[in-house]
Amino acid sequence: MRVSWPELTREELLARLQKAVAALAECLPLERVVLFGSWVSGRATVASDVDALVVYADPPREDAFRIVWQALVAAGVPRPEPHVYAASEAARLAPTLAAMTRCGIVLFPAEGTGQSDSPVE
């Protein structure tokens, strides 16, 4: 078996994700954005997707996934796999989302912003 490593380093990916988060914050009332999966655990390969949980304030929006997808692609995030939920949806799925993101990297809110956390911890 041949394993190919991704073209980006994790730091480069995080920079692109922060760019996407800044753009998203202008379009959606963000509550929480977390990178999780193989990029966090150090197991990313060239074929790995980029798992990101995005929780935004209610009400649910039909266009939220499209907005998140477009921001990730515009920021140059390779193989984005966004998991997008309004706060009420995230609250219903809180145990599952917490397990998915347990070791994740919180991209939003930034440390020290004083913003409250969403139901997903």
Side-chain angles (χ1 to χ4, degrees), residues 62-93:
E62 289 185 20
D63 63 345
F65 183 87
R66 179 186 52 79
I67 290 169
V68 171
W69 176 268
Q70 288 175 341
L72 292 171
V73 169
V77 174
R79 300 178 57 91
E81 184 68 34
H83 302 258
V84 182
Y85 301 96
S88 59
E89 298 165 328
R92 285 192 296 274
L93 298 169

Side-chain angles (χ1 to χ4, degrees), residues 110-121:
E111 283 189 39
T113 62
Q115 293 186 8
S116 63
D117 289 335
S118 72
V120 180
E121 281 295 322

Side-chain angles (χ1 to χ4, degrees), residues 11-33:
E11 290 72 26
E12 291 168 329
L13 175 65
L14 288 170
R16 291 182 186 194
L17 286 167
Q18 288 295 355
K19 181 179 175 183
V21 167
L24 284 173
E26 295 179 13
C27 303
L28 285 175
L30 294 179
E31 289 192 1
R32 191 160 176 87
V33 180

